[in-house]
Amino acid sequence: MASIRKRGSSYLIVVSMGYDYNGKRIKPQQKTVHPPEELTPRQVEKWLNEQAVLFERECRHTPQPIQQLTLAKYIDLWLTDIAPDKLAKSTIRRDRQDIERILPALGHYKLTELRPEHFRNFYAELRKVTSIETKKPLSEYTIEGVHATLCSILSDAVEGGFLSHNPAWRTYRYAGRKCEKKIADEETAQKIIAALEGESIKYETYFKLIIATGMRRGECCGLKWCDIDWEQRSIHICRNAVKVTDEEIFVKEPKTRAGDRYVYFSAEMESLLREYRQECAYITETYDRRELTADDFLFRRQGAQLPMTPTTFTYRFKLILKKNGLPQELNVHSLRHTAASLMIAGGTDVATVAGILGHSQPSTTLDIYTHAFDKNNGNMGAAGCVSWSFDRKGVIVINNEDGDLDEDKVMEDALEAGAEDIEADGDVFSVSTAPDDVTAVADYLTSHGYELLSAQVEMVPQTYIKLTDEGDIKNMQKMLDMFEDNDDVQNVWHNWEQD
């Protein structure tokens, strides 16, 4: 499997070629690639994975893609053998809806015959289609989803050797203006909270929890009493309740590591939760003839050890809005957006908001809520949030002042020791490793006769900023010198460079 390493604004793809018949390591193959600038971080990741597959295939002389397979036949294969191992059931169900639109227009094409113009024409035709449900043209969001499904399917085709590249890449452009998220302003949010106090305590607790913490509706349905730390006034969000049509509801882990998180609640919310717990304990004893346990769901289906279905709350929220004359375009997910906007309006920085919402990157939060930051002069940074721009890496510096070290030999030994990358920099070689591997790699290199100038864990920039103005460069150097001279500053890392 090829490895991908970031090097400034480019990426290095390295393919390990194994060993020869004498047991000697064969020189790894390398290739530097530059992703198109207009791609989002997620698109860059997919693009890099495709490039890695193609380069590895080239290095290993993999046979050419199958010529006769049609898109329709490959999608059948994808739905049967590939998607179930990679995607959630709910995602596959949404993808099937997109596939129903894709197959009549593109299913007859052979994979190897698909061209960018086929997709652009397809999206143009979709914009002319009228939705059966709404009697209106398909939304741009729907068309964007179809494109995402196509890209995902064809990326898997590249990975499987059926295609040499993804012909759907960069064929879609959003038409028109993107709408802002449906968010209740502060006045409307107060009206919603007042309306909830006239509902049953179950619905009041559920909706107020989302407003207070910004959790997703499925995450709220997946909460158990053991997730609440009353002393710390915190909730551990660690599961998501999912309901797929014609199947029983099930619970799964968050999609990303960032989704597993802790959120905090107020004393007022604590009082409501304790009151709701007493109500749940009474209902469980009365109807289920047992005591409420820590493993019970907060919002449990009566008579079963299953959470309530998220759509139950979706329907109830619509009724609450209608009954109280509140904006009908709002939905349960609007409460999550409202929570984020209220945090931003209160001066909470983007890194903290991203952590509370469970976003993997603050950039995701900025993409969704830029308008809210703009309107409220939101803070873009806080203590520790800059670390998102850096990777924690082990860095070993090898002395090559005499210039007698061969770069290929150094790379071979470094990779053998477990290093991730090596770069020649003047009279030294810089070797990068995983943070936990730096000591072992350093010991290996020392035992093989290399003179190490340093071996430590550092913060390595993901991207670099070039300064060209002499005044800016002098100011930057002056500031760095000031930090270096400060006894209270232990380490200084930066991501600037000059021509």
Side-chain angles (χ1 to χ4, degrees):
M1 184 71 181
S3 62
I4 304 170
R5 296 143 192 189
K6 189 171 179 60
R7 306 182 78 168
S9 60
S10 64
Y11 292 81
L12 179 70
I13 300 175
V14 179
V15 176
S16 175
M17 302 304 292
Y19 299 82
D20 62 18
Y21 64 93
N22 288 320
K24 184 179 179 181
R25 188 182 185 91
I26 301 173
K27 179 182 176 181
Q29 298 294 306
Q30 301 182 47
K31 179 181 181 181
T32 300
V33 297
H34 299 266
E37 293 181 358
E38 65 270 21
L39 298 185
T40 65
R42 183 170 293 182
Q43 289 173 335
V44 168
E45 183 180 351
K46 288 185 176 181
W47 185 87
L48 287 171
N49 287 333
E50 283 190 10
Q51 297 302 309
V53 169
L54 294 174
F55 182 53
E56 184 170 19
R57 187 179 300 154
E58 178 184 328
C59 293
R60 303 188 189 283
H61 306 292
T62 306
Q64 290 299 307
I66 299 171
Q67 298 292 323
Q68 301 303 316
L69 189 66
T70 64
L71 177 61
K73 288 183 178 178
Y74 176 74
I75 287 178
D76 285 340
L77 171 69
W78 184 81
L79 286 171
T80 304
D81 298 340
I82 300 173
D85 294 331
K86 298 182 69 173
L87 303 175
K89 290 181 179 179
S90 55
T91 303
I92 294 174
R93 187 170 188 86
R94 287 196 302 271
D95 286 352
R96 284 184 181 275
Q97 294 174 350
D98 292 333
I99 288 169
E100 289 178 2
R101 302 185 192 278
I102 294 168
L103 289 180
L106 302 175
H108 62 284
Y109 284 102
K110 295 174 184 176
L111 285 180
T112 52
E113 292 177 347
L114 287 168
R115 298 290 181 269
E117 57 268 23
H118 294 144
F119 302 102
R120 294 191 186 101
N121 293 337
F122 172 49
Y123 303 143
E125 290 302 316
L126 281 182
R127 293 186 176 99
K128 301 175 184 176
V129 174
T130 301
S131 169
I132 298 175
E133 291 81 11
T134 65
K135 310 301 181 185
K136 298 178 181 179
L138 293 179
S139 70
E140 195 63 27
Y141 177 79
T142 298
I143 298 169
E144 188 175 20
V146 172
H147 170 69
T149 299
L150 265 170
C151 282
S152 176
I153 292 171
L154 294 176
S155 287
D156 287 335
V158 172
E159 187 174 334
F162 297 97
L163 281 172
S164 61
H165 68 286
N166 189 336
W169 270 112
R170 301 166 66 187
T171 59
Y172 170 81
R173 286 186 178 275
Y174 196 95
R177 296 177 58 187
K178 288 197 174 187
C179 299
E180 288 187 0
K181 300 293 182 183
K182 297 181 178 67
I183 298 175
D185 57 27
E186 190 169 356
E187 181 182 353
T188 304
Q190 291 299 329
K191 290 180 179 179
I192 292 173
I193 291 171
L196 292 175
E197 290 170 359
E199 300 296 318
S200 70
I201 191 170
K202 173 172 64 181
Y203 293 115
E204 179 185 2
T205 304
Y206 180 90
F207 295 122
K208 283 188 175 181
L209 264 179
I210 294 179
I211 295 173
T213 65
M215 70 178 76
R216 301 172 178 89
R217 60 175 194 161
E219 292 172 337
C220 200
C221 287
L223 291 178
K224 293 184 176 183
W225 290 107
C226 59
D227 298 327
I228 299 178
D229 184 330
W230 298 101
E231 185 175 342
Q232 298 294 325
R233 280 195 202 143
S234 69
I235 299 175
H236 184 196
I237 300 174
C238 55
R239 66 185 73 82
N240 187 38
V242 180
K243 178 68 173 74
V244 178
T245 305
D246 299 327
E247 293 188 24
E248 187 56 271
I249 192 169
F250 61 94
V251 176
K252 65 175 185 177
E253 294 180 351
K255 287 193 293 186
T256 64
R257 185 168 57 183
D260 190 321
R261 63 198 189 278
Y262 290 85
V263 295
Y264 296 85
F265 52 84
S266 64
E268 184 180 358
M269 192 73 234
E270 178 188 1
S271 176
L272 180 61
L273 281 168
R274 288 189 182 279
E275 184 181 351
Y276 176 57
R277 193 182 190 286
Q278 290 179 346
E279 173 86 2
C280 291
Y282 171 78
I283 291 174
T284 303
E285 290 173 6
T286 303
Y287 297 101
D288 294 353
R289 304 296 181 183
R290 64 174 181 84
E291 292 186 355
L292 186 71
T293 69
D295 198 48
D296 279 321
F297 290 100
L298 265 71
F299 306 99
R300 182 175 63 88
R301 193 181 302 175
Q302 191 171 311
Q305 285 294 88
L306 293 171
M308 292 178 65
T309 305
T311 51
T312 300
F313 295 97
T314 301
Y315 175 72
R316 175 62 62 170
F317 188 64
K318 285 296 184 183
L319 292 180
I320 293 171
L321 293 175
K322 187 175 182 179
K323 182 169 65 175
N324 292 275
L326 294 166
Q328 292 293 294
E329 66 271 14
L330 297 176
N331 53 43
V332 177
H333 203 70
S334 301
L335 299 182
R336 172 174 162 85
H337 296 318
T338 300
S341 295
L342 291 175
M343 292 179 214
I344 294 165
T348 308
D349 62 88
V350 63
T352 302
V353 176
I356 293 172
L357 297 180
H359 290 158
S360 297
Q361 297 286 346
S363 58
T364 304
T365 312
L366 281 174
D367 287 343
I368 298 173
Y369 301 109
T370 295
H371 66 284
F373 279 100
D374 291 343
K375 289 176 182 176
N376 297 288
N377 297 316
N379 298 319
M380 293 301 169
C385 72
V386 177
S387 61
W388 288 90
S389 300
F390 292 77
D391 292 321
R392 191 166 173 266
K393 292 282 187 183
V395 178
I396 301 168
V397 180
I398 302 174
N399 185 20
N400 189 32
E401 188 174 1
D402 296 333
D404 55 357
L405 295 180
D406 178 68
E407 183 175 355
D408 290 339
K409 182 66 168 65
V410 176
M411 171 168 281
E412 181 180 327
D413 288 340
L415 293 177
E416 183 69 28
E420 294 182 345
D421 196 11
I422 175 176
E423 185 173 358
D425 185 11
D427 55 2
V428 299
F429 286 104
S430 180
V431 178
S432 63
T433 75
D436 296 337
D437 295 339
V438 63
T439 301
V441 174
D443 290 344
Y444 181 96
L445 294 173
T446 301
S447 68
H448 281 66
Y450 292 101
E451 180 188 352
L452 306 188
L453 299 179
S454 64
Q456 59 187 356
V457 175
E458 298 182 1
M459 300 297 284
V460 179
Q462 295 177 1
T463 57
Y464 287 84
I465 305 298
K466 278 192 176 182
L467 296 183
T468 55
D469 182 79
E470 289 186 9
D472 290 340
I473 293 172
K474 286 181 180 178
N475 288 335
M476 178 62 73
Q477 290 173 334
K478 184 177 179 180
M479 182 177 68
L480 291 177
D481 289 341
M482 180 187 69
F483 283 133
E484 295 286 2
D485 293 338
N486 191 323
D487 293 336
D488 293 328
V489 177
Q490 294 182 339
N491 296 294
V492 179
W493 291 286
H494 62 80
N495 67 335
W496 79 280
E497 61 184 4
Q498 64 187 90
D499 291 329

